[in-house]
């Protein structure tokens, strides 16, 4: 499977979805939810690959996370 494949609706990659969900719904996430991000990265997901509309990337979301402040 292509870990950098984009969905049809938003043009988002699985990593972008995973980081978005973690930031907005589970800001304190560790363990199983954070493991999804780790697994995607280990499988070759590109954290600099942005969406097709506004260019937001998983890196942007990571820097906006409370854990980075």
């Amino acid at each position: 499977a292509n870990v950098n494949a984009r969905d049809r609706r938003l043009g988002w990659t699985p990593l972008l979805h995973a980081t978005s969900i973690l930031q907005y719904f589970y800001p304190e996430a560790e363990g199983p939810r954070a493991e999804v991000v780790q697994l995607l990265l280990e499988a070759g997901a590109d954290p600099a690959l942005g969406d097709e509309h506004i260019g937001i990337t998983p890196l942007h979301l990571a820097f906006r996370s409370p854990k980075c402040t």
Side-chain angles (χ1 to χ4, degrees), residues 12-58:
W12 284 23
T13 63
L15 184 58
L16 191 51
H17 279 288
T19 54
S20 175
I21 289 168
L22 284 173
Q23 179 181 351
Y24 293 105
F25 298 105
Y26 306 102
E28 73 291 344
E30 292 180 11
R33 294 180 192 98
E35 286 176 12
V36 172
V37 171
Q38 182 177 351
L39 289 170
L40 287 167
L41 290 169
E42 290 172 358
D46 184 353
L49 193 59
D51 78 357
E52 296 179 331
H53 303 287
I54 60 173
I56 193 166
T57 69

